[in-house]
Amino acid sequence: MLEYFDYSFFRQALAGVALISICAAIIGTYIISRRMVAISGGITHSCFGGLGLGYFLGISPVLMAAVFAVGSALGVDWLSRRFRVREDSAIAVVWALGMALGVLFVFLTPGYVPELNSFLFGNILTVSVTDLWSFAGFAVILGIFFLWQYRNIVATAFDRDFAAVIGLPVRMITIVMTVLTAVCIVLTIRLVGIMLLMSMLSLPIITAEIFFRRFATVMCASAVISLISSVAGLFLSTVIDVPCSALIVLSMVGVFIGARVISLFR
């Protein structure tokens, strides 16, 4: 199995898994603490509209997906504030709109769209050096902002109303974390695809919550769980020749079930 390390694409996949595991743990812990798991699904599926528009216009699908992701994330916040629409209802709007636009643009695009499956289902083995630099740059920005505003982020995540009452910059924290969530989702699409991305942002965190309660501890434990599951899925996929994205998620589910069983006997 060590011979796989001789291949550059496999080393790049491992580096991508490590970077995304850290970013997904930070973002996932925040959105689960905010009880906003559905927003990851809404942003993820709205990205499909950006991908379709990118193919239709002949420009970078990832760039257009990023535009749609950030726009939908800010749109959810705007709808919930401006029209007092519940966040889950606003998420449903951008979810449906993004998928509908994606289907429309893909249908209007001449010819066959060969790369669409890689965005829908993911393939970490196709991660390039450019992708790694993008992941690394995002991880640095996310880490710096998180360390700078850690106490405010935790307060906003657990009780936004109380944080606003005591004068914390809740509005700024909400907008920045929402945008960072959108960017994280776009960068992670190549890892597990649109269909399976929510698992990456939720399963490791809810597994860590079985044993831990503090925000920082859950975040660190979920990063470790995500990394172990992702590496296990990656190695298994090379051995039995099946899509690695599915095995990554199945590994996370297996770890979650194992953790639940252990907790029953504690």
Side-chain angles (χ1 to χ4, degrees), residues 45-53 55 68 96-109 116:
H45 287 77
S46 70
C47 287
F48 189 60
L51 293 174
L53 182 59
Y55 285 121
F68 266 62
L97 179 62
M99 290 298 292
L101 290 175
V103 171
L104 177 63
F105 287 128
V106 168
F107 177 79
L108 294 175
T109 301
L116 191 58

Side-chain angles (χ1 to χ4, degrees), residues 34-164:
R34 280 283 310 273
R35 293 175 175 83
M36 291 176 60
V37 179
I39 196 172
S40 63
I43 295 174
T44 301
H45 287 77
S46 70
C47 287
F48 189 60
L51 293 174
L53 182 59
Y55 285 121
F56 178 71
L57 297 178
I59 58 179
S60 171
V62 176
L63 177 61
M64 292 307 301
V67 172
F68 266 62
V70 174
S72 61
L74 296 177
V76 169
D77 182 68
W78 179 74
L79 284 173
S80 61
R81 287 187 306 101
R82 180 68 177 81
F83 298 101
R84 300 193 179 277
V85 177
R86 291 191 317 180
E87 280 188 343
D88 57 346
S89 301
I91 290 169
V93 172
V94 299
W95 185 317
L97 179 62
M99 290 298 292
L101 290 175
V103 171
L104 177 63
F105 287 128
V106 168
F107 177 79
L108 294 175
T109 301
Y112 175 66
V113 182
E115 296 181 356
L116 191 58
N117 282 341
S118 66
F119 289 107
L120 290 175
F121 304 107
N123 188 356
I124 186 61
L125 296 176
T126 63
V127 169
S128 64
V129 176
T130 303
D131 294 324
L132 290 179
W133 279 113
S134 300
F135 292 160
F138 173 75
V140 169
I141 294 172
L142 177 62
I144 291 174
F145 180 76
F146 212 84
L147 290 174
W148 175 41
Q149 294 289 334
Y150 176 76
R151 292 183 180 274
N152 294 337
I153 291 172
V154 173
T156 303
F158 284 103
D159 195 336
R160 184 170 58 173
D161 294 334
F162 177 74

Side-chain angles (χ1 to χ4, degrees), residues 125 171 183:
L125 296 176
R171 177 85 180 122
V183 175

